[in-house]
Amino acid sequence: MSEGSTPQGKHPTHSVAPALRSLVPVLVVLTLIALVPLLSPSNRFLSLAISAGINVIALYGLSVLFGQTGILSMGHAALVGVGAYTAAILARDFGVGFWLALPVAALTSAVFAMIVGIPSLRVGGHHFVIMTFAFGQLLAIVLTNGGDYTGAATGLDMVGPVNLFGADMGDLTRYYLMVVAFVAVAAVASWAIINSSYGRTLRAIRENEKLAASLGINVGRHKIGAFVVSGVFAGISGVLLANFLGHISPTQFASFPSIYLALMVMIGGARLITGPLAGGILVAFLPEVLNLDPVQSRIVYGVCLIAVILLLPDGLIAGIAAFVRKVFTAKSKERQRQENGVVSNPSEARR
Amino acid sequence: MSPILEIRGLSKQFGGVAALAGVDLAVEEGEILGVVGPNGSGKTTLFNVVTGVHRPNAGSVSFRGRDITGSAPHAISRAGIGYTFQQAMAFAGLSMLENVQIAGEHVRAGANANTPWPTPQALLDFVGLTALADEKAGVLPFGSLRLLGLALALATQPALLLLDEPAAGLNDRETTALVGLVRQLPGHGITVCVIDHDMKLMQMLCRRLAVLDFGSKIADGPTEAVLADPKVLEVYLGGDL
Ligand SMILES: Nc1ncnc2c1ncn2[C@@H]1O[C@H](COP(=O)(O)OP(=O)(O)O)[C@@H](O)[C@H]1O
Ligand SMILES: [Mg+2]
């Protein structure tokens, strides 16, 4: 511990600047998306975009869980459902409005995540996938058999308008802009978590659980924590969904929607902050763009998922980025070779 | 003075195999104790049971007078026992410096608390890896990975450090450097318990050796006496002694 000590300032604890840069593309894209109403899009487009945005909010939570710890929830739509039903029941029974419903629903979904997470994450990753899947099915059954309280199979109507600073959010364009704002908040929150020392601890667990535990990291509790965090995002997504649709029913939150959410996060990629946004938009608009019926689109998604898992395990965006980088470095190397007339040392070329 | 670590009647079965068959061992504060024995004699299992990686079938482990038998690995780390695994490992996707930072972030009051502890940079310096601080751990040569493992374990502020074959795979120069580092640890308030096959290395490091064979302790005492013990010689006959 004697000579050659580095000056304290050379290695900052968290390199904030490059991390901040990763947030820029998302915010730029979201700003562009917020300008879309200027092109007077159709109501159908706005509705589709709102649904996609609501999914993306849940995806940002899922990306903290899956991207940072490598564990995947196959019942995430159920946590969205908990948020949605919480909002609907609070509005019906207590006249609770949108803004108060948000924190309450976020908390309720987080508590449900904890209840599901504690027994299943203590056992291990594979059990977790099955347990979350079972939770989704169970919730649908409970909601379907909940009588008048949950509205049984028909579900519940969402009563009460959404107001923001006195403006009625019932207007489609306004609701669209509000959802875009929520997506931005979700992206920033997810980014902040990933770049915190907590996020780094989660990454350490993903890299090597055994080593992490030997260094004093409570692996089980951190995994449950990440699932609870993802539950908060899901709850907020649920409140936005209930208020947008005006009516919710159990099948919306059963296993198929959950598989779709898992699909979106895998296609987009969970480790990059652009991933959830890309995955959510792609899965929402692909059938529209290709003009597919529901059965065809399921087939396309299945094929996409297999292709992504096999070819781009870090998701589409990371795959494209890697491809671009490869082309770019190949080109710059080519140029260097032409300039120098010699084959350069590849390890130097990287610097 | 009572021992810092006291192992009593420790047993561990894997299926039909008794990896540990009632081992008693006391580690005295401030010493560097060597644990030797042929391959498969239960050395790694002993460390794994002490550090909570495996639960024992019988017996007890007490650390600084507190029973820690069957506690979780993270709790044992926080209590003040550091561990480097026989398979060198690190968080491959993170930089060396980040690796050591993470290792130091979960220290609790129970560990080697009262002493001021070196910063992550200083720890990298100590093991001679400063030049590689910003490199991803995944690209390290094997020798550096071992040294990083030592820095990680030290970052947890251990009062007792368990090293499982820390010199395996190191070249002569790296091994000499490692010996120099480990010898300094008792001076910093860290008791050491080390496993290795290399008897020359063990003679340099340890004044006391414990020998395991088929999960039982067959010798325990001053290094020279143990190495002259007929029982030990028999175990190692034709071996690497
Ligand atoms: N996780 C495990 N599962 C099954 N058997 C194991 C496990 N770990 C060790 N063993 C067995 O226990 C015995 C002791 O192994 P180990 O403690 O690794 O020996 P050493 O470190 O002295 O070479 C061996 O027979 C080994 O095969
Ligand atoms: Mg071993």
Side-chain angles (χ1 to χ4, degrees):
Chain A
M1 303 183 199
S2 49
E3 54 181 327
S5 67
T6 48
Q8 203 72 14
K10 198 183 155 196
H11 303 293
T13 312
H14 296 292
S15 34
V16 177
L20 250 177
R21 220 176 299 142
S22 71
L23 193 56
V24 172
V26 174
L27 295 181
V28 169
V29 170
L30 284 174
T31 309
L32 293 177
I33 288 174
L35 295 175
V36 166
L38 294 175
L39 307 171
S40 40
S42 67
N43 279 354
R44 178 160 170 73
F45 173 86
L46 286 177
S47 300
L48 210 56
I50 289 170
S51 308
I54 289 171
N55 278 335
V56 169
I57 292 163
L59 291 179
Y60 271 113
L62 203 51
S63 76
V64 170
L65 179 71
F66 181 57
Q68 299 302 296
T69 69
I71 40 186
L72 188 55
S73 163
M74 276 293 174
H76 224 59
L79 291 177
V80 176
V82 169
Y85 271 84
T86 302
I89 291 169
L90 283 176
R92 181 194 65 195
D93 293 355
F94 304 102
V96 170
F98 176 77
W99 295 101
L100 182 56
L102 277 178
V104 179
L107 186 71
T108 312
S109 290
V111 168
F112 270 83
M114 200 186 299
I115 293 168
V116 178
I118 287 175
S120 27
L121 279 168
R122 291 222 174 273
V123 215
H126 307 294
H127 296 265
F128 181 73
V129 171
I130 294 164
M131 286 287 280
T132 51
F133 189 83
F135 166 63
Q137 293 298 77
L138 190 67
L139 186 81
I141 294 169
V142 169
L143 292 174
T144 310
N145 293 286
D148 286 344
Y149 192 70
T150 62
T154 30
L156 290 176
D157 285 326
M158 190 70 210
V159 293
V162 179
N163 278 294
L164 177 59
F165 305 127
D168 179 16
M169 289 289 132
D171 173 66
L172 211 51
T173 304
R174 286 195 196 139
Y175 205 83
Y176 170 87
L177 290 174
M178 187 175 78
V179 168
V180 173
F182 269 93
V183 171
V185 171
V188 172
S190 156
W191 170 86
I193 293 166
I194 289 170
N195 287 289
S196 68
S197 74
Y198 177 69
R200 208 169 57 175
T201 301
L202 294 180
R203 229 174 314 148
I205 292 171
R206 181 188 73 199
E207 297 247 345
N208 194 327
E209 269 185 35
K210 189 179 171 187
L211 179 62
S214 84
L215 299 174
I217 296 173
N218 189 337
V219 171
R221 212 180 56 198
H222 277 88
K223 284 181 174 176
I224 293 164
F227 189 45
V228 169
V229 165
S230 76
V232 169
F233 286 75
I236 289 169
S237 164
V239 177
L240 286 163
L241 186 68
N243 280 285
F244 169 57
L245 297 177
H247 180 86
I248 49 174
S249 61
T251 50
Q252 287 171 287
F253 309 111
S255 37
F256 245 116
S258 285
I259 292 169
Y260 266 56
L261 285 176
L263 183 82
M264 289 178 216
V265 85
M266 290 180 90
I267 288 180
R271 293 193 195 170
L272 291 175
I273 203 76
T274 34
L277 188 63
I281 292 175
L282 210 68
V283 172
F285 284 94
L286 201 62
E288 196 73 1
V289 172
L290 301 179
N291 207 2
L292 302 173
D293 67 40
V295 175
Q296 288 172 324
S297 61
R298 277 184 191 180
I299 294 170
V300 169
Y301 287 144
V303 173
C304 282
L305 185 60
I306 293 169
V308 165
I309 290 172
L310 290 180
L311 303 175
L312 307 168
D314 290 333
L316 198 60
I317 298 295
I320 292 171
F323 178 74
V324 168
R325 215 174 306 130
K326 220 196 276 174
V327 170
F328 186 76
T329 50
K331 264 195 188 146
S332 70
K333 239 185 260 173
E334 179 80 9
R335 202 177 316 128
Q336 211 167 29
R337 206 172 304 152
Q338 284 167 352
E339 280 170 11
N340 300 344
V342 286
V343 180
S344 59
N345 181 350
S347 72
E348 268 169 34
R350 245 191 300 134
R351 278 153 212 266
Chain B
M1 202 165 56
S2 64
I4 187 167
L5 186 79
E6 199 156 19
I7 296 166
R8 282 201 215 90
L10 208 59
S11 296
K12 176 69 191 174
Q13 325 263 4
F14 291 110
V17 182
L20 293 176
V23 171
D24 297 302
L25 184 67
V27 184
E28 301 299 333
E29 190 150 359
E31 74 171 332
I32 301 180
L33 169 68
V35 176
V36 297
N39 259 326
S41 57
K43 306 181 296 293
T44 296
T45 304
L46 180 70
F47 279 13
N48 277 339
V49 172
V50 168
T51 56
V53 175
H54 296 312
R55 276 172 173 278
N57 295 93
S60 70
V61 181
S62 78
F63 175 60
R64 296 202 285 196
R66 221 185 87 208
D67 183 33
I68 56 162
T69 318
S71 295
H74 71 267
I76 290 176
S77 161
R78 288 174 181 188
I81 301 183
Y83 186 20
T84 67
F85 296 102
Q86 184 172 344
Q87 292 80 21
M89 48 175 83
F91 305 119
L94 300 169
S95 79
M96 306 263 266
L97 185 64
E98 284 180 306
N99 268 271
V100 186
Q101 283 170 345
I102 288 176
E105 272 167 12
H106 303 270
V107 178
R108 290 297 181 276
N112 211 340
N114 304 324
T115 37
W117 211 257
T119 61
Q121 285 97 331
L123 284 171
L124 280 182
D125 240 18
F126 178 64
V127 299
L129 291 176
T130 305
L132 301 170
D134 295 323
E135 298 287 331
K136 289 255 159 71
V139 305
L140 291 181
F142 188 81
S144 308
L145 195 57
R146 278 239 180 266
L147 290 169
L148 178 60
L150 180 62
L152 293 182
L154 286 174
T156 65
Q157 304 199 6
L160 170 67
L161 184 59
L162 307 183
L163 304 170
D164 194 349
E165 302 196 17
L170 299 190
N171 61 33
D172 287 349
R173 190 179 48 78
E174 290 168 329
T175 304
T176 310
L178 181 84
V179 169
L181 293 178
V182 174
R183 274 185 171 158
Q184 291 179 43
L185 296 179
H188 293 284
I190 302 169
T191 305
V192 179
C193 192
V194 54
I195 293 172
D196 214 289
H197 287 294
D198 184 346
M199 285 302 169
K200 263 200 253 119
L201 174 83
M202 292 306 250
Q203 278 173 298
M204 277 191 277
L205 277 178
C206 315
R207 253 181 271 154
R208 186 182 146 218
L209 286 185
V211 186
L212 292 184
D213 188 34
F214 290 111
S216 298
K217 192 173 82 175
I218 58 163
D220 184 348
T223 303
E224 292 71 36
V226 166
L227 293 181
D229 187 329
K231 266 187 298 182
V232 176
L233 291 173
E234 189 184 336
V235 163
Y236 276 101
L237 208 64
D240 46 14
L241 190 64

